[in-house]
Amino acid sequence: MADKISEPIKQCAAILKSAKNDTEKFAALFMVTKLVKSKDCTQAGKRVLFEAIGFDFLKKLLTSDDVPDDCPALVYKSVALSILTCFCQDENLATHPDMISSIPVFLEIVQTADDSDSLIVVSEAYSCLQSIAAYEKGREALLKVAGLTKWSEIYLQQSFQTDEALNILVTLANNFGPTAWDSDPKAFHDLLQRLSLDFQSDTTERKFELCDILTSLIFSCRHDLIRKSAEGEMWPESLYKGISDILKSRITKNQRDPTLKLTAQVIELLGIEWTLQETEDPKKFFLLLLQLAAIEVRMQMDNKSFNQSVSNADLITSCFLILEHSLNFMASDQIDFEQKEKQQTYTALKGAFTAVLGVLTKLTNDKISENLDGKNKIFTCAMIRVLSAWLSQETSAMRTQVYKILPFILKLSNKTFYEFRQFYLDNKDKESFNYDLDAPIDVLRVFLPALCHLVVEDEGRKIFLKSKEEDVLYDFIMFHWSIAHYKRPPIPRAERLKRMNEPDPELSQQQLDAMKDSRSAIISACNILMNITVLEAKFVEESLTFNNLLKFILTNLPEFKDTPENLVALGHLSVLGLLLLKQQSKKVKKNDFSICRYIQITIRFLWDAYTLDESNDPEALVVSITYKEFWNEIAELWFLGMQTMSSIIQQIPWISEFAIESGWCEGIIDILKKVRIGTLPPNVKSAYEDFLTQLIDANPDVAGVLKKADALRVCRNHRLMDLGKKLFGD
């Protein structure tokens, strides 16, 4: 029994306690070394011996250089460490305050060893450190005494048994993650440089042990910091050469799996561009990797149950990462693929995602889907995430299967959003809160681009509306608006006078990143709601949720800061507001001041898009500098905004007054007067002409304003026939 104390241990403890001096106690230790290694030395027995020896005495043996001439100091250290190694196998002793306080002593031993005679002492010191690292309290102490930077230095010293130092380093990195690394990335880069060179050159099975070690270290590093500082480092190239050599060779499953896991982590850190290092054919390795990941997903999931797939979750989710990054990269059109390459890639991806859909379909029919948690929930979210990346690009792929599981996807996605929102609200004011790492995954956030395509189709909208998804997206926009539209915390009344001219506090990088992500989230939600507004006009007209959304936009959009980074989100909210205003026009009141302010903001968004190229060609109409960077995202939005504004003017004629008062009417004519004849883009011409024509119909005063601005010349120059007829008759 664990609490039974044998007679020999009782006798030994008595001898230790009765020892009159250190010499007698040291002699008794040789008896202890035999006892603590025997099978009948229970946990209780070890504690009795530990207390009988007294930790101060053991520490004295470890640190004292005052030894007899005929006795090497290493003997004292070795005896003490031999006993401590056995004591450390018990959690209570391994995490005992005295043991924790001796961590610096153990570290000094492993760092200062300078000859082969020290090997046994170093080995036992590492045994103590590894035993301490086996427990949470011990790991916390190890990190506090020597952070990961220190452990990296110990490993890089290349003294005795450095693999033990590396194992402890990996244990701490896995346990504490990015918070354990310093803000100076040098230690991490130095460590990766050494390991990646070993990985590249090794031709034994250790190469695949290094795969696991590198995977853990890259996963746990401070991604933002390392990503920014990786340029010029050699280890990314070494990893590329090592990984490509493996994946281009004949390998077994035990060799392929850790390599794919490492590859996924490198891509997550450095981006898919890391795979394009071949000078002759950059896409060759990229395509190989994509094929391997797709085939692996199919092998692991095709005709498999959910439980069978979860058992290989680490490997499968690594392949998901590779596929997701690959899909996003292909969508950016940065590389041209031959038709054969496109077909092979599509075939491989379709096979992989057919398997993913198969597992998801089986899950939706299983009772376990009602209460997913832990690893099951994480894996399900990973399946939805990678499927979203596929559906965002292949907008018509496998619709029948997708619609079968869409209600389940929406239900789980909504649940994760509300969990994320609550976690964020509970932790946003904590200094240690890490937006990216600590928060639970929000699957809804990543599924929205795919959902935007699905709701264009009748079946997708039917499921969307049946799930009351518009209510969730309303909450979603409210939440992300609270992040994207940062407001300075209120100043206590007693301090307002003193702090009246105080500048706004500088935002942290984490806050800026969160704001950027929330702007993107708002844009995705707006795209879906715009589709619903256009395609389900009757429903939107009668919907309380859409009515509340319109009120929110009218009230809050004028407060949104007019900055370049806000432009795309502002544009989406402006145009969504116009579409809702069109559908809800019967409920609009003329004296509603919120509409006045909103229309002014929207006019400014539409007005500022085009300008004359003053620097190069003052007769050329171009997209303004502020808009040019984002024009791919807002070009269609601008034309939809112009079209919707024209329609609204017919339904709510008094809005035309704002176009007159703002000077926009004259502004359009003034610009078009200066544009070289024959160079006005047809789509821009139609947008302006339709808008001005509708303005004249809605408000008799507009014609006079336009004539005074010399609209006749504009109509002649650019052949604005419809506008000319409205202004000057046949």
Side-chain angles (χ1 to χ4, degrees):
M1 293 178 67
D3 57 351
K4 186 177 180 181
I5 302 172
S6 64
E7 283 301 318
I9 287 178
K10 290 179 181 177
Q11 292 173 8
C12 186
I15 293 171
L16 286 165
K17 288 179 179 179
S18 63
K20 297 177 181 177
N21 52 49
D22 288 351
T23 303
E24 291 183 9
K25 186 171 277 193
F26 182 72
L29 287 183
F30 288 97
M31 181 179 177
V32 173
T33 57
K34 293 180 180 180
L35 284 174
V36 293
K37 294 177 182 178
S38 65
K39 292 181 180 179
D40 61 345
C41 186
T42 62
Q43 290 181 347
K46 288 179 182 178
R47 288 177 199 139
V48 167
L49 290 174
F50 185 80
E51 291 170 2
I53 297 169
F55 196 83
D56 288 343
F57 178 67
L58 290 173
K59 195 168 183 179
K60 186 187 297 184
L61 295 180
L62 289 173
T63 57
S64 178
D65 293 325
D66 184 16
V67 297
D69 294 338
D70 58 346
C71 180
L74 282 177
V75 173
Y76 278 28
K77 285 186 172 69
S78 180
V79 172
L81 286 168
S82 180
I83 294 169
L84 287 172
T85 300
C86 295
F87 285 157
C88 278
Q89 294 171 12
D90 177 88
E91 180 177 358
N92 289 329
L93 295 181
T95 57
H96 190 281
D98 288 335
M99 196 73 77
I100 295 296
S101 69
S102 291
I103 290 175
V105 178
F106 299 143
L107 286 174
E108 185 179 0
I109 291 170
V110 302
Q111 283 185 279
T112 56
D114 55 4
D115 56 52
S116 57
D117 292 337
S118 307
L119 188 58
I120 185 67
V121 175
V122 172
S123 177
E124 288 172 333
Y126 270 124
S127 293
C128 292
L129 290 167
Q130 286 177 318
S131 295
I132 292 170
Y135 307 105
E136 183 63 28
K137 188 176 178 181
R139 290 190 289 271
E140 290 173 356
L142 283 168
L143 188 67
K144 186 175 181 180
V145 173
L148 294 189
T149 297
K150 184 68 174 178
W151 281 106
S152 299
E153 291 172 358
I154 294 172
Y155 173 70
L156 292 171
Q157 282 177 354
Q158 297 195 46
S159 55
F160 301 107
Q161 295 189 254
T162 51
D163 278 355
E164 280 80 354
L166 184 59
N167 290 336
I168 294 173
L169 194 158
V170 171
T171 298
L172 296 177
N174 285 337
N175 194 80
F176 297 104
T179 57
W181 291 98
D182 289 347
S183 56
D184 184 353
K186 185 179 184 306
F188 181 85
H189 288 308
D190 290 346
L191 177 64
L192 262 285
Q193 184 60 29
R194 160 80 182 278
L195 291 172
S196 62
L197 286 172
D198 289 350
F199 170 70
Q200 181 187 346
S201 59
D202 201 295
T203 56
T204 68
E205 282 301 306
R206 174 170 163 75
K207 193 180 194 79
F208 303 99
E209 293 174 12
L210 286 170
C211 263
D212 292 334
I213 290 169
L214 285 162
T215 300
S216 293
L217 292 174
I218 293 173
F219 177 77
S220 71
C221 77
R222 296 178 62 169
H223 278 54
D224 55 339
L225 187 65
I226 301 304
R227 193 177 292 122
K228 291 174 183 175
S229 57
E231 188 174 350
E233 296 292 336
M234 296 300 296
W235 60 263
E237 183 180 352
S238 298
L239 287 180
Y240 175 83
K241 289 177 180 177
I243 289 171
S244 59
D245 285 346
I246 294 172
L247 295 180
K248 290 175 183 176
S249 306
R250 288 179 174 270
I251 50 177
T252 65
K253 175 178 172 56
N254 290 338
Q255 296 169 330
R256 183 175 62 251
D257 291 2
T259 309
L260 286 173
K261 291 177 185 178
L262 172 58
T263 306
Q265 288 306 317
V266 178
I267 289 174
E268 181 78 346
L269 175 63
L270 300 177
I272 198 72
E273 291 79 7
W274 168 82
T275 65
L276 310 173
Q277 297 193 33
E278 296 288 346
T279 52
E280 293 183 5
D281 188 2
K283 60 187 174 183
K284 185 176 180 180
F285 181 64
F286 167 81
L287 289 170
L288 169 66
L289 191 58
L290 189 152
Q291 289 276 348
L292 287 173
I295 291 168
E296 194 66 41
V297 168
R298 186 171 183 177
M299 287 173 57
Q300 297 295 335
M301 301 186 76
D302 200 14
N303 295 318
K304 298 288 199 308
S305 69
F306 176 75
N307 287 333
Q308 287 174 312
S309 299
V310 170
S311 65
N312 289 311
D314 289 347
L315 173 61
I316 295 173
T317 51
S318 293
C319 293
F320 285 172
L321 269 177
I322 295 170
L323 293 180
E324 183 182 348
H325 281 275
S326 298
L327 284 164
N328 292 336
F329 178 68
M330 289 191 294
S332 67
D333 293 326
Q334 295 183 48
I335 286 188
D336 292 327
F337 295 98
E338 297 174 8
Q339 189 58 40
K340 184 180 178 181
E341 292 170 336
K342 289 180 180 179
Q343 187 58 47
Q344 289 175 338
T345 300
Y346 178 80
T347 302
L349 289 170
K350 187 173 181 181
F353 287 106
T354 299
V356 173
L357 278 168
V359 173
L360 272 170
T361 302
K362 290 173 185 174
L363 175 61
T364 60
N365 297 321
D366 194 319
K367 288 183 179 179
I368 192 176
S369 66
E370 295 296 323
N371 191 27
L372 290 168
D373 57 8
K375 192 173 183 179
N376 289 343
K377 185 177 179 182
I378 292 171
F379 184 67
T380 305
C381 291
M383 285 195 289
I384 296 173
R385 181 185 180 110
V386 74
L387 183 63
S388 302
W390 166 250
L391 295 176
S392 297
Q393 311 305 332
E394 295 297 328
T395 56
S396 60
M398 302 176 283
R399 279 296 185 262
T400 304
Q401 302 97 306
V402 171
Y403 288 139
K404 284 181 180 178
I405 61 172
L406 184 55
F408 167 76
I409 291 177
L410 291 177
K411 183 178 178 181
L412 180 60
S413 298
N414 296 342
K415 182 180 179 183
T416 61
F417 159 62
Y418 286 115
E419 289 172 349
F420 175 86
R421 183 180 71 169
Q422 191 58 51
F423 181 90
Y424 183 90
L425 294 174
D426 290 343
N427 293 276
K428 65 176 182 176
D429 296 326
K430 295 180 181 178
E431 289 185 9
S432 60
F433 171 55
N434 190 305
Y435 183 83
D436 294 319
L437 297 169
D438 299 331
I441 185 173
D442 175 10
V443 179
L444 181 62
R445 170 72 184 84
V446 296
F447 187 64
L448 290 185
L451 185 59
C452 187
H453 296 298
L454 295 174
V455 298
V456 173
E457 300 174 8
D458 292 344
E459 184 65 22
R461 287 199 308 284
K462 182 179 176 182
I463 296 169
F464 179 96
L465 296 175
K466 187 176 180 180
S467 301
K468 296 187 180 301
E469 196 64 23
E470 72 276 7
D471 294 344
V472 181
L473 290 188
Y474 177 74
D475 290 342
F476 184 87
I477 288 178
M478 298 303 104
F479 168 65
H480 282 287
W481 174 265
S482 70
I483 299 172
H485 181 51
Y486 171 80
K487 285 187 177 181
R488 178 179 178 174
I491 299 172
R493 181 175 295 180
E495 300 178 26
R496 285 177 189 171
L497 188 61
K498 183 173 64 175
R499 299 173 59 183
M500 185 167 43
N501 297 320
E502 184 181 283
D504 287 345
E506 189 173 337
L507 300 180
S508 68
Q509 188 59 49
Q510 181 170 302
Q511 285 176 298
L512 293 172
D513 290 343
M515 291 167 69
K516 180 180 179 181
D517 183 72
S518 286
R519 288 193 296 269
S520 179
I522 290 170
I523 292 164
S524 295
C526 284
N527 283 328
I528 295 171
L529 294 171
M530 280 191 269
N531 282 335
I532 297 294
T533 304
V534 171
L535 298 169
E536 296 289 341
K538 186 66 175 175
F539 172 81
V540 171
E541 183 181 341
E542 298 172 355
S543 168
L544 178 61
T545 299
F546 279 96
N547 186 44
N548 289 336
L549 179 59
L550 175 59
K551 289 179 181 177
F552 171 81
I553 293 173
L554 297 180
T555 303
N556 291 281
L557 190 62
E559 304 298 328
F560 207 25
K561 292 180 180 178
D562 184 15
T563 58
E565 57 268 21
N566 284 344
L567 179 63
V568 181
L570 185 146
H572 278 77
L573 287 165
S574 295
V575 176
L576 176 58
L578 287 175
L579 291 168
L580 292 172
L581 200 58
K582 179 182 174 183
Q583 301 297 352
Q584 308 264 352
S585 59
K586 296 176 184 176
K587 303 175 184 178
V588 172
K589 296 177 182 178
K590 188 172 183 178
N591 59 355
D592 187 340
F593 182 68
S594 64
I595 293 181
C596 305
R597 298 178 67 217
Y598 160 75
I599 289 293
Q600 289 168 348
I601 292 293
T602 305
I603 284 175
R604 180 50 58 187
F605 168 72
L606 296 171
W607 189 350
D608 289 347
Y610 282 96
T611 187
L612 294 172
D613 187 1
E614 298 291 353
S615 58
N616 296 317
D617 184 354
E619 293 184 341
L621 187 73
V622 295
V623 175
S624 64
I625 293 175
T626 308
Y627 285 61
K628 194 170 184 178
E629 181 183 350
F630 311 101
W631 194 240
N632 286 338
E633 298 176 74
I634 58 179
E636 291 184 13
L637 196 69
W638 185 84
F639 287 104
L640 177 60
M642 290 294 294
Q643 179 186 349
T644 310
M645 180 69 87
S646 300
S647 299
I648 288 173
I649 287 170
Q650 288 299 307
Q651 294 174 269
I652 316 173
W654 56 265
I655 285 181
S656 62
E657 296 171 10
F658 293 102
I660 298 172
E661 291 172 5
S662 66
W664 189 20
C665 303
E666 299 102 314
I668 294 173
I669 297 299
D670 286 342
I671 285 181
L672 296 184
K673 275 193 301 188
K674 299 172 185 176
V675 174
R676 186 181 299 109
I677 297 172
T679 63
L680 186 62
N683 54 354
V684 179
K685 169 186 167 181
S686 297
Y688 281 141
E689 183 174 20
D690 185 50
F691 171 66
L692 293 173
T693 302
Q694 298 296 341
L695 264 180
I696 293 170
D697 287 342
N699 192 324
D701 295 337
V702 173
V705 173
L706 295 181
K707 287 178 181 179
K708 190 175 180 181
D710 202 6
L712 177 59
R713 192 194 339 166
V714 170
C715 292
R716 286 173 177 167
N717 288 351
H718 302 295
R719 301 185 64 80
L720 305 183
M721 307 302 291
D722 291 338
L723 180 60
K725 290 176 183 178
K726 287 286 182 184
L727 286 171
F728 307 104
D730 296 334

